[in-house]
Amino acid sequence: MPFHARKAPATSSPTHDLSRRRFLTASSSAALAGTLGWSVLSPTAASASDQNPDTDFMSGHYGMFIKIEDPRINTGVDQGGTVGGWNAVANSFDVTAFAAQMADTGASWVAVYVGQNTGFYFGGNPGYETLAGVSPGSRLTSRDLMTDISDALSARGMKMFIYIPAGPPIDDTVAANNLGFTTRGGGDFGHDWYHNETGDTNWAAALRGWATHYGTKVSGWWIDGFFGPITSHNVGVTTATAQKYATAIHAGNPHAVIGYNEWQFDNPTAAPYYDYTAGYVPPVATPTSRWFNSNGTRVQWNQTLGQQFIDRSDFISYSMNILAAKGSLMFEAFADASGRINNSAVYRQMVALKAAVNGTPTPITPYIWTSADGWRQTAAITVPSAGTRVDFGPWPTTGGSWSWSGPNGYSANTREVQRVPLSTGSNVFNATHTNPSGAQSTQAFTITVPDGSTNRINDTDPSISYSGFTHHKPRGFGDYGDDIHFATANGSTATYQFTGTGIVVYGEKYTDQGNIGVSIDGGAQQVVNTVPADGQRHTNVAVFTATGLTSGKHTITVTKLSGTYATLDGFGIVN
């Protein structure tokens, strides 16, 4: 679903005193626009030019299409929501980290939503609250987040697009009414605001406020919900509506490009007042030209692919074919309040596409499967015996080809390989990925089988002596026995006496951990880093292995040295 995805209306709406409700007529909205420093919209705005050169930066390139997701910004004004949650999310958003991730995806531009249905927006247009007849600071965040994002993107050579609906927020009745939208029931959704000339004029004034505030910091606009008479979602927009909106947007940047979403590839209702197809539809045939003929105006061929299509097996080849034909693409993803993409699979697919397009090696993300642990993102594990089933399933999952080599002449040519042959000691398998551009990357997978058999001891075993560690169950993260011991104070210890020729220390690797020290029989402490290079959480993993000990009794001590936490998930005894 696009960001404009509709939700069921509330069963009841707050009642308002009709005598105090302020409706802006065309004349009063013009007067108000003057007090805000906005000129009245010209009724004779220029249309988009045929084969507009302002879209040249899109041709053969792609962008990201980002919605910020957080429970604190989900509740609309009509349902009791306040701007407080929006301020919290805006203030926590790390624009530098966000821009870095966007650069990792290879995007040439990034569209970010300024607001949608709730009635709240990420700043940037103080005049909106006056125009909507609401209290200052009640609908807009204090932080001008879009400007900060634009500056961070610009520093990395990327352009900024703004996502915004084609009309007032569904869940802010007061603002919608004051803007001149008084009738619901537009389209088959049944709760959109139906458009009219006064409302469109006022919403154009609102768009003009954002556009003139951002100026050339914003290079494009993605206008959602522009449902005209050709669809069952018809909300009453017309070609004149598109003209008003285009005029308003170009007041801030005459070269800004515009797309109108009508839930189909083309939007003839908006022609000739748009520059690229929004194209929010399932994958379509590869274009034969960068230009799409929309009612006689040739606009940039563009498709916006929903997140659900990014995991397709042909994602990379499909995308590269469109780019080779000089079409353009936008890829939907969702960012959390910290400014990071909240779906690691989508992020990895985009990194893989960037590598394929640029002809550089595609990073391989290693995954190993065992019956005990399922899939884990790691390149090295220790298993109890050579009979343990081990599968490999690295990323990327689409595009290019794979080849494998390993012990005793092992070879394979599929991405996922199952039941790899193991023997006692270190088993190293090498994966080579060749992406569609011919660039190769390699990744080693190491499976260690200790000499002899391994007996697993859970962290709750009473023979383990703890100092400073606390037991926690259940965690739901895949720990052995769904429990773990953890410590927060440096110097905390776990000591265990065992009989055997080796030992495996099991725990967790994550970004909030640090170094642990491991000492056997009072010997020199070996420092082990438990912070994973990939930044992902790995549970029930062997963090330390010692083999070749003299058969007999030994004592191992694990000590927390640094980090917020140290964890212990038990031991494996090599007999």
Side-chain angles (χ1 to χ4, degrees):
M1 297 290 284
F3 300 156
H4 193 58
R6 306 303 184 180
K7 52 191 175 184
T11 55
S12 61
S13 300
T15 57
H16 303 286
D17 183 355
L18 293 178
S19 66
R20 298 181 62 189
R21 184 179 294 167
R22 189 165 57 86
F23 295 89
L24 293 180
T25 62
S27 59
S28 63
S29 65
L32 179 57
T35 66
L36 297 174
W38 304 334
S39 59
V40 178
L41 301 179
S42 165
T44 57
S47 64
S49 62
D50 187 57
Q51 299 183 354
N52 188 352
D54 288 335
T55 61
D56 285 352
F57 73 91
M58 298 179 69
S59 177
H61 297 279
Y62 61 88
M64 294 300 294
F65 190 62
I66 303 294
K67 179 179 181 181
I68 301 171
E69 278 197 327
D70 188 276
R72 292 170 291 181
I73 60 174
N74 289 343
T75 305
V77 173
D78 290 347
Q79 290 76 41
T82 68
V83 76
W86 284 70
N87 276 321
V89 171
N91 292 336
S92 68
F93 198 89
D94 186 339
V95 297
T96 301
F98 177 74
Q101 267 206 335
M102 294 300 101
D104 289 345
T105 69
S108 295
W109 67 93
V110 181
V112 183
Y113 97 132
V114 67
Q116 190 183 18
N117 297 326
T118 62
F120 303 106
Y121 301 91
F122 285 119
N125 183 7
Y128 169 77
E129 291 172 325
T130 302
L131 191 64
V134 297
S135 302
S138 65
R139 301 297 193 273
L140 303 180
T141 60
S142 301
R143 182 184 185 185
D144 183 3
L145 184 57
M146 298 298 107
T147 293
D148 290 347
I149 290 176
S150 177
D151 290 342
L153 293 173
S154 178
R156 289 180 173 269
M158 292 174 282
K159 297 180 183 293
M160 174 81 168
F161 279 35
I162 290 292
Y163 164 96
I164 197 167
I170 292 173
D171 294 331
D172 190 350
T173 300
V174 170
N177 289 170
N178 287 339
L179 287 163
F181 295 84
T182 60
T183 303
R184 290 190 187 268
D188 55 11
F189 296 117
H191 55 278
D192 292 80
W193 294 106
Y194 202 79
H195 286 245
N196 60 73
E197 184 175 357
T198 297
D200 287 348
T201 298
N202 291 331
W203 190 246
L207 292 176
R208 187 185 186 94
W210 271 295
T212 54
H213 175 80
Y214 297 133
T216 56
K217 289 182 180 292
V218 171
S219 300
W221 295 73
W222 204 98
I223 310 297
D224 200 3
F226 199 88
F227 303 138
I230 66 171
T231 76
S232 60
H233 310 308
N234 183 19
V235 295
V237 295
T238 65
T239 302
T241 307
Q243 180 183 18
K244 288 181 179 181
Y245 292 179
T247 303
I249 288 169
H250 288 147
N253 180 2
H255 298 287
V257 296
I258 303 171
Y260 291 102
N261 179 40
E262 197 165 17
W263 277 10
Q264 59 180 27
F265 195 84
D266 187 16
N267 195 331
T269 303
Y273 300 105
Y274 75 101
D275 307 290
Y276 67 89
T277 55
Y280 195 93
V281 293
V284 297
T286 301
T288 57
S289 163
R290 69 171 279 195
W291 301 112
F292 181 88
N293 190 326
S294 179
N295 230 8
T297 299
R298 286 167 290 184
V299 299
Q300 172 66 43
W301 191 104
N302 176 79
Q303 177 161 33
T304 304
L305 278 178
Q307 180 173 275
Q308 67 270 32
F309 298 112
I310 296 179
D311 196 28
R312 284 169 52 115
S313 60
D314 63 346
F315 167 70
I316 291 179
S317 59
Y318 174 82
S319 300
M320 291 186 70
N321 287 338
I322 288 176
L323 300 177
K326 300 303 180 182
S328 63
L329 290 159
M330 296 190 203
F331 300 107
E332 178 185 60
F334 299 86
D336 60 26
S338 73
R340 276 79 168 179
I341 294 176
N342 64 10
N343 186 321
S344 60
V346 169
Y347 173 72
R348 287 193 296 268
Q349 285 286 73
M350 294 309 307
V351 171
L353 176 60
K354 176 185 178 181
V357 169
N358 293 342
T360 56
T362 303
I364 295 176
T365 304
Y367 281 91
I368 299 176
W369 184 94
T370 63
S371 58
D373 302 324
W375 286 109
R376 292 215 315 259
Q377 186 179 329
T378 183
I381 63 170
T382 297
V383 297
S385 70
T388 303
R389 175 177 171 176
V390 175
D391 301 346
F392 300 143
W395 282 68
T397 58
T398 66
S401 60
W402 292 86
S403 63
W404 294 84
S405 63
N408 302 314
Y410 177 84
S411 64
N413 58 10
T414 58
R415 180 187 67 86
E416 184 174 331
V417 293
Q418 300 179 348
R419 303 180 186 276
V420 296
L422 302 174
S423 58
T424 299
S426 179
N427 300 262
V428 179
F429 298 83
N430 291 294
T432 299
H433 176 256
T434 304
N435 69 22
S437 295
Q440 292 188 332
S441 50
T442 60
Q443 173 69 53
F445 292 73
T446 303
I447 311 300
T448 301
V449 180
D451 294 333
S453 60
T454 301
N455 180 32
R456 182 66 184 263
I457 304 296
N458 195 21
D459 58 285
T460 55
D461 192 288
S463 58
I464 304 174
S465 176
Y466 291 104
S467 175
F469 277 78
T470 301
H471 181 240
H472 182 61
K473 179 178 182 175
R475 286 217 311 161
F477 287 152
D479 306 308
Y480 187 79
D482 197 24
D483 68 343
I484 205 164
H485 273 74
F486 70 93
T488 57
N490 292 343
S492 299
T493 59
T495 303
Y496 178 64
Q497 188 177 78
F498 64 97
T499 299
T501 61
I503 190 164
V504 180
V505 179
Y506 290 93
E508 176 183 84
K509 290 187 175 183
Y510 195 44
T511 54
D512 57 6
Q513 300 192 53
N515 292 337
I516 59 172
V518 181
S519 174
I520 297 178
D521 297 332
Q525 192 177 73
Q526 300 181 58
V527 177
V528 179
N529 180 11
T530 61
V531 177
D534 59 16
Q536 302 297 311
R537 185 190 300 273
H538 304 280
T539 58
N540 191 19
V541 64
V543 297
F544 173 84
T545 301
T547 57
L549 302 177
T550 302
S551 181
K553 289 187 176 182
H554 301 277
T555 301
I556 185 171
T557 300
V558 178
T559 305
K560 181 183 183 299
L561 301 179
S562 65
T564 303
Y565 298 101
T567 60
L568 182 69
D569 202 11
F571 298 100
I573 311 306
V574 181
N575 297 321

mmCIF file of all heavy atoms in Angstrom, residues 469 487-494 512-519 524-530 557-567:
data_model
loop_
_atom_site.group_PDB
_atom_site.id
_atom_site.type_symbol
_atom_site.label_atom_id
_atom_site.label_comp_id
_atom_site.label_asym_id
_atom_site.label_seq_id
_atom_site.Cartn_x
_atom_site.Cartn_y
_atom_site.Cartn_z
ATOM 1 N N PHE A 469 26.728 -11.720 38.040
ATOM 2 C CA PHE A 469 25.847 -12.069 36.922
ATOM 3 C C PHE A 469 24.415 -12.260 37.422
ATOM 4 O O PHE A 469 24.191 -12.694 38.560
ATOM 5 C CB PHE A 469 26.310 -13.358 36.239
ATOM 6 C CG PHE A 469 27.400 -13.154 35.219
ATOM 7 C CD1 PHE A 469 28.721 -12.956 35.620
ATOM 8 C CD2 PHE A 469 27.115 -13.157 33.863
ATOM 9 C CE1 PHE A 469 29.725 -12.777 34.691
ATOM 10 C CE2 PHE A 469 28.115 -12.980 32.919
ATOM 11 C CZ PHE A 469 29.422 -12.783 33.329
ATOM 12 N N ALA A 487 25.832 -9.694 32.925
ATOM 13 C CA ALA A 487 26.462 -8.821 33.920
ATOM 14 C C ALA A 487 26.621 -7.442 33.336
ATOM 15 O O ALA A 487 26.823 -7.272 32.124
ATOM 16 C CB ALA A 487 27.820 -9.379 34.335
ATOM 17 N N THR A 488 26.534 -6.423 34.190
ATOM 18 C CA THR A 488 26.736 -5.033 33.767
ATOM 19 C C THR A 488 27.994 -4.414 34.373
ATOM 20 O O THR A 488 28.495 -3.411 33.865
ATOM 21 C CB THR A 488 25.522 -4.175 34.157
ATOM 22 O OG1 THR A 488 25.317 -4.266 35.572
ATOM 23 C CG2 THR A 488 24.269 -4.645 33.425
ATOM 24 N N ALA A 489 28.497 -4.999 35.448
ATOM 25 C CA ALA A 489 29.680 -4.439 36.120
ATOM 26 C C ALA A 489 30.951 -5.117 35.628
ATOM 27 O O ALA A 489 31.037 -6.358 35.594
ATOM 28 C CB ALA A 489 29.551 -4.612 37.632
ATOM 29 N N ASN A 490 31.918 -4.311 35.206
ATOM 30 C CA ASN A 490 33.209 -4.870 34.824
ATOM 31 C C ASN A 490 33.816 -5.612 36.012
ATOM 32 O O ASN A 490 33.708 -5.174 37.168
ATOM 33 C CB ASN A 490 34.161 -3.773 34.358
ATOM 34 C CG ASN A 490 33.728 -3.156 33.052
ATOM 35 O OD1 ASN A 490 32.911 -3.726 32.330
ATOM 36 N ND2 ASN A 490 34.263 -1.981 32.735
ATOM 37 N N GLY A 491 34.449 -6.734 35.736
ATOM 38 C CA GLY A 491 35.021 -7.553 36.795
ATOM 39 C C GLY A 491 34.126 -8.685 37.240
ATOM 40 O O GLY A 491 34.557 -9.561 38.011
ATOM 41 N N SER A 492 32.854 -8.702 36.779
ATOM 42 C CA SER A 492 31.956 -9.807 37.085
ATOM 43 C C SER A 492 32.515 -11.088 36.460
ATOM 44 O O SER A 492 33.088 -11.060 35.362
ATOM 45 C CB SER A 492 30.552 -9.533 36.548
ATOM 46 O OG SER A 492 30.008 -8.372 37.135
ATOM 47 N N THR A 493 32.336 -12.221 37.152
ATOM 48 C CA THR A 493 32.945 -13.464 36.683
ATOM 49 C C THR A 493 31.961 -14.624 36.690
ATOM 50 O O THR A 493 30.977 -14.635 37.438
ATOM 51 C CB THR A 493 34.152 -13.860 37.558
ATOM 52 O OG1 THR A 493 33.698 -14.025 38.911
ATOM 53 C CG2 THR A 493 35.240 -12.791 37.497
ATOM 54 N N ALA A 494 32.256 -15.607 35.833
ATOM 55 C CA ALA A 494 31.575 -16.902 35.819
ATOM 56 C C ALA A 494 32.675 -17.957 35.762
ATOM 57 O O ALA A 494 33.515 -17.942 34.859
ATOM 58 C CB ALA A 494 30.654 -17.021 34.617
ATOM 59 N N ASP A 512 25.750 -3.752 22.153
ATOM 60 C CA ASP A 512 25.811 -3.207 23.507
ATOM 61 C C ASP A 512 26.764 -3.997 24.397
ATOM 62 O O ASP A 512 26.824 -3.789 25.605
ATOM 63 C CB ASP A 512 24.423 -3.142 24.149
ATOM 64 C CG ASP A 512 23.717 -4.492 24.188
ATOM 65 O OD1 ASP A 512 24.357 -5.513 23.819
ATOM 66 O OD2 ASP A 512 22.538 -4.533 24.589
ATOM 67 N N GLN A 513 27.510 -4.907 23.799
ATOM 68 C CA GLN A 513 28.484 -5.666 24.563
ATOM 69 C C GLN A 513 29.899 -5.166 24.252
ATOM 70 O O GLN A 513 30.087 -4.215 23.509
ATOM 71 C CB GLN A 513 28.326 -7.157 24.274
ATOM 72 C CG GLN A 513 26.921 -7.640 24.654
ATOM 73 C CD GLN A 513 26.798 -9.140 24.666
ATOM 74 O OE1 GLN A 513 27.569 -9.831 25.308
ATOM 75 N NE2 GLN A 513 25.798 -9.646 23.957
ATOM 76 N N GLY A 514 30.893 -5.826 24.843
ATOM 77 C CA GLY A 514 32.276 -5.395 24.642
ATOM 78 C C GLY A 514 33.211 -6.581 24.709
ATOM 79 O O GLY A 514 32.945 -7.620 24.093
ATOM 80 N N ASN A 515 34.286 -6.450 25.477
ATOM 81 C CA ASN A 515 35.260 -7.523 25.600
ATOM 82 C C ASN A 515 35.009 -8.358 26.853
ATOM 83 O O ASN A 515 34.584 -7.844 27.892
ATOM 84 C CB ASN A 515 36.678 -6.957 25.678
ATOM 85 C CG ASN A 515 37.116 -6.313 24.377
ATOM 86 O OD1 ASN A 515 36.578 -6.627 23.308
ATOM 87 N ND2 ASN A 515 38.089 -5.420 24.443
ATOM 88 N N ILE A 516 35.291 -9.655 26.710
ATOM 89 C CA ILE A 516 35.344 -10.531 27.871
ATOM 90 C C ILE A 516 36.741 -11.134 27.931
ATOM 91 O O ILE A 516 37.436 -11.220 26.911
ATOM 92 C CB ILE A 516 34.285 -11.653 27.810
ATOM 93 C CG1 ILE A 516 34.482 -12.520 26.562
ATOM 94 C CG2 ILE A 516 32.880 -11.080 27.869
ATOM 95 C CD1 ILE A 516 33.602 -13.764 26.525
ATOM 96 N N GLY A 517 37.140 -11.525 29.117
ATOM 97 C CA GLY A 517 38.415 -12.201 29.282
ATOM 98 C C GLY A 517 38.181 -13.653 29.642
ATOM 99 O O GLY A 517 37.320 -13.959 30.479
ATOM 100 N N VAL A 518 38.928 -14.570 29.018
ATOM 101 C CA VAL A 518 38.780 -15.998 29.287
ATOM 102 C C VAL A 518 40.125 -16.552 29.759
ATOM 103 O O VAL A 518 41.150 -16.388 29.081
ATOM 104 C CB VAL A 518 38.300 -16.764 28.042
ATOM 105 C CG1 VAL A 518 38.142 -18.240 28.364
ATOM 106 C CG2 VAL A 518 36.988 -16.189 27.522
ATOM 107 N N SER A 519 40.103 -17.181 30.894
ATOM 108 C CA SER A 519 41.319 -17.773 31.466
ATOM 109 C C SER A 519 41.045 -19.230 31.806
ATOM 110 O O SER A 519 39.992 -19.559 32.364
ATOM 111 C CB SER A 519 41.739 -17.014 32.726
ATOM 112 O OG SER A 519 42.835 -17.656 33.351
ATOM 113 N N ALA A 524 47.081 -17.104 31.380
ATOM 114 C CA ALA A 524 46.914 -15.748 30.858
ATOM 115 C C ALA A 524 45.505 -15.552 30.310
ATOM 116 O O ALA A 524 44.930 -16.448 29.668
ATOM 117 C CB ALA A 524 47.944 -15.473 29.774
ATOM 118 N N GLN A 525 44.963 -14.387 30.592
ATOM 119 C CA GLN A 525 43.605 -14.081 30.151
ATOM 120 C C GLN A 525 43.598 -13.748 28.657
ATOM 121 O O GLN A 525 44.370 -12.908 28.190
ATOM 122 C CB GLN A 525 43.060 -12.892 30.945
ATOM 123 C CG GLN A 525 41.582 -12.658 30.782
ATOM 124 C CD GLN A 525 41.108 -11.513 31.655
ATOM 125 O OE1 GLN A 525 41.390 -10.338 31.367
ATOM 126 N NE2 GLN A 525 40.401 -11.843 32.732
ATOM 127 N N GLN A 526 42.741 -14.435 27.904
ATOM 128 C CA GLN A 526 42.582 -14.151 26.476
ATOM 129 C C GLN A 526 41.393 -13.214 26.292
ATOM 130 O O GLN A 526 40.297 -13.498 26.786
ATOM 131 C CB GLN A 526 42.367 -15.442 25.692
ATOM 132 C CG GLN A 526 43.514 -16.436 25.807
ATOM 133 C CD GLN A 526 43.271 -17.677 24.989
ATOM 134 O OE1 GLN A 526 43.073 -17.600 23.773
ATOM 135 N NE2 GLN A 526 43.282 -18.835 25.644
ATOM 136 N N VAL A 527 41.621 -12.101 25.629
ATOM 137 C CA VAL A 527 40.575 -11.100 25.442
ATOM 138 C C VAL A 527 39.756 -11.442 24.194
ATOM 139 O O VAL A 527 40.322 -11.656 23.110
ATOM 140 C CB VAL A 527 41.167 -9.685 25.324
ATOM 141 C CG1 VAL A 527 40.046 -8.664 25.056
ATOM 142 C CG2 VAL A 527 41.936 -9.322 26.585
ATOM 143 N N VAL A 528 38.435 -11.488 24.347
ATOM 144 C CA VAL A 528 37.526 -11.846 23.261
ATOM 145 C C VAL A 528 36.557 -10.691 23.029
ATOM 146 O O VAL A 528 35.887 -10.223 23.967
ATOM 147 C CB VAL A 528 36.732 -13.128 23.594
ATOM 148 C CG1 VAL A 528 35.767 -13.460 22.456
ATOM 149 C CG2 VAL A 528 37.680 -14.284 23.861
ATOM 150 N N ASN A 529 36.472 -10.205 21.792
ATOM 151 C CA ASN A 529 35.554 -9.128 21.434
ATOM 152 C C ASN A 529 34.198 -9.726 21.092
ATOM 153 O O ASN A 529 34.092 -10.567 20.197
ATOM 154 C CB ASN A 529 36.106 -8.352 20.233
ATOM 155 C CG ASN A 529 35.194 -7.216 19.803
ATOM 156 O OD1 ASN A 529 34.250 -6.861 20.490
ATOM 157 N ND2 ASN A 529 35.488 -6.628 18.652
ATOM 158 N N THR A 530 33.150 -9.314 21.787
ATOM 159 C CA THR A 530 31.809 -9.851 21.534
ATOM 160 C C THR A 530 30.897 -8.839 20.841
ATOM 161 O O THR A 530 29.668 -8.940 20.911
ATOM 162 C CB THR A 530 31.152 -10.324 22.851
ATOM 163 O OG1 THR A 530 31.028 -9.224 23.752
ATOM 164 C CG2 THR A 530 31.968 -11.434 23.499
ATOM 165 N N THR A 557 37.456 -19.430 33.685
ATOM 166 C CA THR A 557 36.861 -18.234 34.266
ATOM 167 C C THR A 557 36.603 -17.221 33.151
ATOM 168 O O THR A 557 37.509 -16.895 32.375
ATOM 169 C CB THR A 557 37.770 -17.605 35.326
ATOM 170 O OG1 THR A 557 37.989 -18.547 36.369
ATOM 171 C CG2 THR A 557 37.125 -16.347 35.913
ATOM 172 N N VAL A 558 35.365 -16.752 33.069
ATOM 173 C CA VAL A 558 34.968 -15.732 32.094
ATOM 174 C C VAL A 558 34.733 -14.433 32.862
ATOM 175 O O VAL A 558 33.970 -14.417 33.833
ATOM 176 C CB VAL A 558 33.692 -16.143 31.336
ATOM 177 C CG1 VAL A 558 33.280 -15.055 30.358
ATOM 178 C CG2 VAL A 558 33.901 -17.476 30.628
ATOM 179 N N THR A 559 35.386 -13.342 32.449
ATOM 180 C CA THR A 559 35.323 -12.065 33.161
ATOM 181 C C THR A 559 34.832 -10.962 32.235
ATOM 182 O O THR A 559 35.300 -10.836 31.097
ATOM 183 C CB THR A 559 36.711 -11.668 33.698
ATOM 184 O OG1 THR A 559 37.226 -12.729 34.504
ATOM 185 C CG2 THR A 559 36.629 -10.385 34.518
ATOM 186 N N LYS A 560 33.873 -10.157 32.698
ATOM 187 C CA LYS A 560 33.428 -8.985 31.929
ATOM 188 C C LYS A 560 34.498 -7.901 32.011
ATOM 189 O O LYS A 560 34.900 -7.486 33.101
ATOM 190 C CB LYS A 560 32.113 -8.434 32.465
ATOM 191 C CG LYS A 560 31.599 -7.222 31.681
ATOM 192 C CD LYS A 560 30.324 -6.658 32.283
ATOM 193 C CE LYS A 560 29.791 -5.504 31.432
ATOM 194 N NZ LYS A 560 30.733 -4.370 31.332
ATOM 195 N N LEU A 561 34.941 -7.407 30.838
ATOM 196 C CA LEU A 561 35.984 -6.386 30.781
ATOM 197 C C LEU A 561 35.463 -5.020 30.354
ATOM 198 O O LEU A 561 35.948 -3.990 30.832
ATOM 199 C CB LEU A 561 37.105 -6.829 29.836
ATOM 200 C CG LEU A 561 37.826 -8.140 30.180
ATOM 201 C CD1 LEU A 561 38.889 -8.435 29.130
ATOM 202 C CD2 LEU A 561 38.451 -8.065 31.570
ATOM 203 N N SER A 562 34.502 -4.993 29.425
ATOM 204 C CA SER A 562 34.027 -3.701 28.910
ATOM 205 C C SER A 562 32.649 -3.880 28.287
ATOM 206 O O SER A 562 32.116 -4.992 28.200
ATOM 207 C CB SER A 562 35.014 -3.140 27.878
ATOM 208 O OG SER A 562 35.081 -3.976 26.729
ATOM 209 N N GLY A 563 32.075 -2.757 27.824
ATOM 210 C CA GLY A 563 30.748 -2.785 27.226
ATOM 211 C C GLY A 563 29.659 -2.642 28.273
ATOM 212 O O GLY A 563 29.904 -2.678 29.479
ATOM 213 N N THR A 564 28.433 -2.475 27.804
ATOM 214 C CA THR A 564 27.293 -2.359 28.720
ATOM 215 C C THR A 564 26.955 -3.705 29.349
ATOM 216 O O THR A 564 26.648 -3.775 30.541
ATOM 217 C CB THR A 564 26.068 -1.821 27.971
ATOM 218 O OG1 THR A 564 26.397 -0.558 27.366
ATOM 219 C CG2 THR A 564 24.897 -1.612 28.919
ATOM 220 N N TYR A 565 27.040 -4.770 28.573
ATOM 221 C CA TYR A 565 26.691 -6.095 29.064
ATOM 222 C C TYR A 565 27.766 -7.110 28.700
ATOM 223 O O TYR A 565 28.485 -6.952 27.710
ATOM 224 C CB TYR A 565 25.365 -6.587 28.444
ATOM 225 C CG TYR A 565 24.168 -5.738 28.773
ATOM 226 C CD1 TYR A 565 23.668 -4.815 27.849
ATOM 227 C CD2 TYR A 565 23.508 -5.869 29.990
ATOM 228 C CE1 TYR A 565 22.559 -4.046 28.138
ATOM 229 C CE2 TYR A 565 22.392 -5.103 30.286
ATOM 230 C CZ TYR A 565 21.925 -4.186 29.360
ATOM 231 O OH TYR A 565 20.830 -3.434 29.646
ATOM 232 N N ALA A 566 27.833 -8.169 29.494
ATOM 233 C CA ALA A 566 28.505 -9.411 29.128
ATOM 234 C C ALA A 566 27.493 -10.516 29.354
ATOM 235 O O ALA A 566 26.682 -10.447 30.289
ATOM 236 C CB ALA A 566 29.749 -9.645 29.971
ATOM 237 N N THR A 567 27.491 -11.545 28.496
ATOM 238 C CA THR A 567 26.495 -12.601 28.601
ATOM 239 C C THR A 567 27.166 -13.968 28.615
ATOM 240 O O THR A 567 28.249 -14.157 28.054
ATOM 241 C CB THR A 567 25.509 -12.559 27.419
ATOM 242 O OG1 THR A 567 26.242 -12.724 26.201
ATOM 243 C CG2 THR A 567 24.749 -11.245 27.386
#
